[in-house]
């Protein structure tokens, strides 16, 4: 069964550094998402992306965050200048159609020191 | 805005016993409802979904859930659990016609041999 893959599985970075989290969605999917889960808290929506542009974003997704689909297969989340509170598990997801279930990757654990 | 409440943060249950994981939601519009499971060190996997039609929904691994509109609930049940069901379970809701999911805080199910 096709999977969403995320790399790396764990990223450690220093406060103030830029990080890029990478995702390869399922190949025929059209909708892409990023979610995050701070340790011990709920999974939170960050952003959705369709037709090469952001379709929705939460208030968490401020100017420090950006997403890109640089080619036909990758979907990236960039955090420009990381803060300690950005430490979390970041999940990428994709879906084939609007309202169809999301398929999630295994996540990237980001640790900001 | 939608919100999801999972009242039980942890549910221990003996192997082969039945289990119910509770989920209540609030929304002013029509919603779709989902249960996802997260096994250790893995991503979120869809267990089942309610989009429309029959209020009793059957999913993978012997799980089922019942949508109760008057109670605004979507409780997850399994008549007989296995050790392999030990995982974190997340209830989620999305507005019909929207992409983003709102998750509950999760319930950790621990099956005791």
């Amino acid at each position: 069964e096709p999977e969403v893959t995320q790399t790396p599985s764990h990223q450690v970075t220093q406060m103030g550094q830029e990080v890029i989290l990478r995702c390869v969605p399922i190949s025929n999917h059209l909708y892409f998402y990023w979610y995050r889960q701070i340790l011990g808290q709920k999974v939170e929506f960050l952003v959705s992306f369709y037709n090469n542009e952001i379709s929705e974003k939460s208030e968490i997704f401020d100017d420090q965050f950006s997403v890109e689909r640089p080619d036909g297969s990758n979907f990236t989340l960039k955090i420009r200048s990381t803060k300690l509170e950005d430490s979390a598990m970041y999940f990428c997801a994709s879906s084939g159609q609007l309202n169809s279930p999301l398929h999630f990757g295994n996540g990237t654990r980001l640790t900001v020191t | 805005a939608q919100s999801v409440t999972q009242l039980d943060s942890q549910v221990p249950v003996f192997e082969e016993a039945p289990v119910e994981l509770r989920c209540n939601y609030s929304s002013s519009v029509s919603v779709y409802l989902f249960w996802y499971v997260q096994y250790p060190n893995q991503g979120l996997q869809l267990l089942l979904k309610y989009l429309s039609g029959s209020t009793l929904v059957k999913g993978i691994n012997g799980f089922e859930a019942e949508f109760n509109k008057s109670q605004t609930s979507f409780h997850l049940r399994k008549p007989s659990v296995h050790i392999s069901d030990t995982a974190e379970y997340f209830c989620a809701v999305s507005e019909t016609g929207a992409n983003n999911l709102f998750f509950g805080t999760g319930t950790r199910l621990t099956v005791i041999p």
Side-chain angles (χ1 to χ4, degrees):
Chain A
E1 186 178 328
E3 290 182 345
V4 175
T5 56
Q6 290 185 244
T7 54
S9 57
H10 191 187
Q11 172 106 37
V12 181
T13 189
Q14 287 189 325
M15 195 168 54
Q17 295 296 304
E18 175 184 284
V19 293
I20 298 176
L21 309 183
R22 302 181 190 279
C23 170
V24 179
I26 293 173
S27 62
N28 61 348
H29 282 186
L30 301 175
Y31 296 85
F32 314 112
Y33 312 84
W34 283 101
Y35 285 78
R36 79 170 185 191
Q37 184 183 25
I38 295 172
L39 188 64
Q41 298 184 27
K42 65 174 66 178
V43 178
E44 300 172 292
F45 170 75
L46 291 178
V47 66
S48 61
F49 191 87
Y50 170 72
N51 201 25
N52 286 319
E53 61 183 23
I54 291 173
S55 47
E56 287 182 73
K57 61 181 181 179
S58 71
E59 54 191 33
I60 301 168
F61 194 87
D62 61 22
D63 292 344
Q64 292 298 312
F65 291 89
S66 62
V67 289
E68 195 178 27
R69 187 153 164 81
D71 52 46
S73 60
N74 290 283
F75 180 52
T76 61
L77 175 69
K78 182 193 291 186
I79 308 175
R80 222 177 310 279
S81 176
T82 51
K83 303 186 286 289
L84 293 176
E85 53 265 37
D86 293 326
S87 295
M89 181 74 91
Y90 288 80
F91 291 105
C92 174
S94 69
S95 66
Q97 302 172 26
L98 191 64
N99 291 147
S100 45
L102 274 58
H103 295 256
F104 285 84
N106 286 350
T108 293
R109 180 168 297 284
L110 176 66
T111 302
V112 182
T113 62
Chain B
Q2 296 81 40
S3 69
V4 178
T5 302
Q6 292 181 247
L7 288 170
D8 308 303
S9 59
Q10 297 190 57
V11 173
V13 63
F14 285 103
E15 193 175 13
E16 297 183 7
V19 70
E20 178 179 84
L21 306 183
R22 296 180 293 169
C23 172
N24 288 87
Y25 70 93
S26 65
S27 177
S28 57
V29 298
S30 296
V31 296
Y32 296 148
L33 294 155
F34 306 83
W35 275 98
Y36 282 85
V37 60
Q38 184 180 28
Y39 298 105
N41 301 314
Q42 293 189 30
L44 297 162
Q45 180 182 357
L46 180 69
L47 265 183
L48 50 76
K49 62 185 184 289
Y50 172 78
L51 304 181
S52 65
S54 171
T55 56
L56 183 63
V57 179
K58 294 191 184 297
I60 62 170
N61 301 340
F63 283 93
E64 63 181 32
E66 185 156 20
F67 170 54
N68 187 320
K69 190 173 181 179
S70 62
Q71 304 277 338
T72 60
S73 68
F74 191 55
H75 301 331
L76 181 71
R77 301 185 186 102
K78 185 168 181 177
S80 175
V81 294
H82 302 288
I83 297 290
S84 58
D85 292 325
T86 294
E88 188 94 18
Y89 290 80
F90 292 93
C91 183
V93 62
S94 72
E95 202 176 297
T96 56
N99 286 1
N100 49 323
L101 289 172
F102 293 88
F103 283 85
T105 49
T107 297
R108 179 166 297 280
L109 173 64
T110 302
V111 180
I112 304 162

